[in-house]
């Protein structure tokens, strides 16, 4: 075997995983030396404020329930002004990537420790990445200071995640792990996390769609989400994430759906240069029959994911714009990004053709 060489950074993050682990919340707050969390969530999950207040016996400093997709800095500023009127000594976010983003943005600005209760499969709670938008511009920074101190994964909280969002958010998670397998800075431990994360999601998401209240399927999907989030935290992303970033930033397409549609296409583009990864994936994605792209295509259609970027509202003339914006970025991909070939791939995703 070739001699190996890699860097590995582990965070000092604490993770609690399991059915009903939310009951340990008060102990976790106390263990951080805190007494008065500021609760953060979205308007859609505002009812969580009462539930958490009850679990914490009323010991909360306040709540801010206007977390918004893509972490706009004006919302963060509003939350910051409000936070200063409270005596909050820590941040407690409950929700998906949007809420986690607000928690990260506030912890960066206040230095307060952040406890996160994750309720989607997006994985942001594992990463040092913070993407913020100001004047329609998305600025991403990587700073280990934004990694939440404690993350709680309680499968009970995922039962209410609508099936459509479970599917797209699950594919978003799988994309983190897929790209981690061929990242320039991949490592043996990333490979273990990635393959197990992809296997767990690919084998449980169809079950979640059929029975969204199944603890067994939900638990497996959440496990996969955690592992895939770890992969995103430990590697540098390539073509798939870069393209989704451009689609989201340029056209404001919805985050999780975009990832779900693009993944088979972006992987098919890179496939010729990553034969071993494709072989590994074909072994863990059900119904691959030796071809991971086929397995992914079948999974995507079984999950009822919107089939095309067109269905998300992208216009045909935007294909060129998106390609140009992508070509302006500098990033590494195992198969070099050639303008013509990548534009053809984007067109296929736009039309909703099967990835190949
Ligand atoms: P989201 O956080 O925007 O959630 C979508 C909606 O679902 C919200 O209204 C939310 O309140 C609701 N919801 C969440 N969990 C629920 C549950 N269990 N039951 C009922 N409703 C629930 O969606 P997301 O896909 O988790 O996050 C997307 C955002 O996260 C994007 O802005 C993306 O850029 C960011 N993200 C960041 C990272 C990172 O590492 N920084 C990683 C992945 C995603």
């Amino acid at each position: 075997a070739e001699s190996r060489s890699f860097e590995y950074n582990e965070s000092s993050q604490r993770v609690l995983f399991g059915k009903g682990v939310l009951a340990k919340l008060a102990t976790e707050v106390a263990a951080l030396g805190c007494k008065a969390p500021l609760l953060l969530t979205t308007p859609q999950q505002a009812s969580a404020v009462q539930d958490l207040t009850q679990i914490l016996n009323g010991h909360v400093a306040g709540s801010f329930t206007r977390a918004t997709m893509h972490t706009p800095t004006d919302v963060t500023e509003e939350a910051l002004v409000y936070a200063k009127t409270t005596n909050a000594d820590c941040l407690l976010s409950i929700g998906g990537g949007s809420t986690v983003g607000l928690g990260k943005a506030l912890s960066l600005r206040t230095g307060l420790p952040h406890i996160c209760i994750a309720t989607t499969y997006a994985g942001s709670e594992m990463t040092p990445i913070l993407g913020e938008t100001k004047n329609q511009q998305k600025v991403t920074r990587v700073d280990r200071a934004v990694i939440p101190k404690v993350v709680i994964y309680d499968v009970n909280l995922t039962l209410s995640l609508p099936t459509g969002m479970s599917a797209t958010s699950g594919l978003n998670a799988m994309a983190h792990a897929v790209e981690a397998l061929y990242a320039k800075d991949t490592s043996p431990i990333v490979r273990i996390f990635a393959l197990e994360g992809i296997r767990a999601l690919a084998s449980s998401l169809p079950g979640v769609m059929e029975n969204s209240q199944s603890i067994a399927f939900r638990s497996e999907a959440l496990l996969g989400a955690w592992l895939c989030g770890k992969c995103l935290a430990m590697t540098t992303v390539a073509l798939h994430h870069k393209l989704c970033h451009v689609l989201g930033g340029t056209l404001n397409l919805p985050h999780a759906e975009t990832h779900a549609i693009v993944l088979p296409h972006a992987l098919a583009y890179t496939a010729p240069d990553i034969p071993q990864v494709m072989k590994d994936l074909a072994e863990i994605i059900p119904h691959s029959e030796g071809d991971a792209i086929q397995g992914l295509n079948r999974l995507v259609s079984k999950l009822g994911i919107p089939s095309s970027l067109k269905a998300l509202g992208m216009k045909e003339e935007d294909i060129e714009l998106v390609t140009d914006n992508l070509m302006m970025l500098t990033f590494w991909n195992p198969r070099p990004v050639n303008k013509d070939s990548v534009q053809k791939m984007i067109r296929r995703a736009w039309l909703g053709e099967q990835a190949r």
Side-chain angles (χ1 to χ4, degrees):
E2 287 174 43
S3 83
R4 299 175 194 270
S5 148
F6 55 87
E7 291 181 7
Y8 175 67
N9 295 297
E10 188 51 280
S11 72
S12 55
Q13 190 181 46
R14 184 169 152 72
V15 173
L16 284 82
F17 189 103
K19 181 169 156 53
V21 285
L22 186 60
K24 296 182 180 164
L25 181 60
T27 315
E28 291 303 318
V29 172
L32 288 177
C34 297
K35 296 193 195 63
L38 172 62
L39 310 189
L40 305 171
T41 192
T42 61
Q44 293 78 12
Q45 287 178 285
S47 67
V49 170
Q50 279 97 48
D51 302 342
L52 294 182
T53 304
Q54 203 175 8
I55 290 170
L56 295 170
N57 293 318
H59 298 300
V60 302
S63 63
F64 183 89
T65 59
R66 291 196 300 280
T68 308
M69 181 105 112
H70 303 312
T71 326
T73 51
D74 52 344
V75 174
T76 300
E77 291 305 325
E78 236 181 88
L80 199 56
V81 169
Y82 170 69
K84 285 186 179 148
T85 69
T86 71
N87 61 345
D89 55 11
C90 65
L91 304 163
L92 177 56
S93 67
I94 179 162
S98 300
T99 303
V100 181
L102 176 62
K104 286 175 166 180
L106 288 176
S107 72
L108 193 66
R109 286 162 175 80
T110 60
L112 294 179
H114 176 195
I115 301 174
C116 173
I117 304 165
T119 66
T120 72
Y121 305 138
S124 176
E125 64 284 349
M126 284 298 123
T127 81
I129 308 163
L130 171 61
E132 296 181 284
T133 44
K134 188 175 188 175
N135 308 325
Q136 265 99 41
Q137 292 271 18
K138 187 158 180 174
V139 179
T140 299
R141 71 173 104 199
V142 179
D143 186 338
R144 295 171 66 78
V146 305
I147 299 177
K149 286 275 170 291
V150 178
V151 175
I152 295 178
Y153 289 109
D154 187 331
V155 64
N156 288 337
L157 300 173
T158 63
L159 298 179
S160 59
L161 187 65
T163 50
M165 216 183 293
S166 302
T168 53
S169 157
L171 260 288
N172 180 195
M174 279 175 65
H176 304 330
V178 165
E179 291 232 289
L181 284 171
Y182 52 74
K184 208 166 188 174
D185 47 3
T186 191
S187 71
I189 198 164
V190 164
R191 186 170 178 279
I192 292 167
F193 284 0
L195 292 176
E196 178 58 12
I198 295 164
R199 188 208 55 74
L201 279 161
S203 61
S204 63
L205 288 175
V208 167
M209 300 306 284
E210 270 165 34
N211 179 5
S212 68
Q213 303 305 298
S214 156
I215 293 289
F217 287 131
R218 284 289 193 183
S219 183
E220 196 69 355
L222 192 58
L223 177 74
W226 169 52
L227 294 169
C228 291
K230 290 289 287 177
C231 292
L232 180 64
M234 295 191 288
T235 54
T236 308
V237 296
L239 175 62
H240 167 80
H241 281 79
K242 293 292 177 183
L243 175 54
C244 291
H245 193 97
V246 170
L247 287 163
T250 313
L251 309 174
N252 203 23
L253 297 189
H255 178 86
E257 286 90 333
T258 304
H259 272 268
I261 295 168
V262 168
L263 181 61
H265 295 279
L267 181 61
Y269 179 92
T270 303
D273 289 51
I274 48 167
Q276 187 58 47
V277 167
M278 296 310 292
K279 223 173 123 198
D280 293 344
L281 286 174
E283 274 169 27
I284 54 163
I285 300 176
H287 312 296
S288 286
E289 292 165 15
D291 176 359
I293 299 297
Q294 175 186 302
L296 263 187
N297 282 335
R298 288 192 174 164
L299 180 65
V300 166
S301 77
K302 202 184 276 179
L303 298 181
I305 282 163
S307 63
S308 65
L309 294 174
K310 195 175 171 179
L312 298 186
M314 177 174 168
K315 306 235 168 3
E316 186 167 14
E317 57 267 28
D318 292 332
I319 296 174
E320 179 105 46
L321 174 70
V322 164
T323 310
D324 288 342
N325 286 356
L326 179 72
M327 295 310 293
M328 277 194 283
L329 303 178
T330 40
F331 61 92
W332 183 82
N333 196 62
R335 178 178 167 199
V337 176
N338 163 278
K339 186 176 171 188
D340 284 350
S341 321
V342 101
Q343 183 156 345
K344 283 195 187 114
M345 180 271 279
I346 297 172
R347 176 170 294 279
R348 275 200 294 282
W350 179 77
L351 280 166
E353 287 179 4
Q354 288 244 310
R356 59 186 157 80

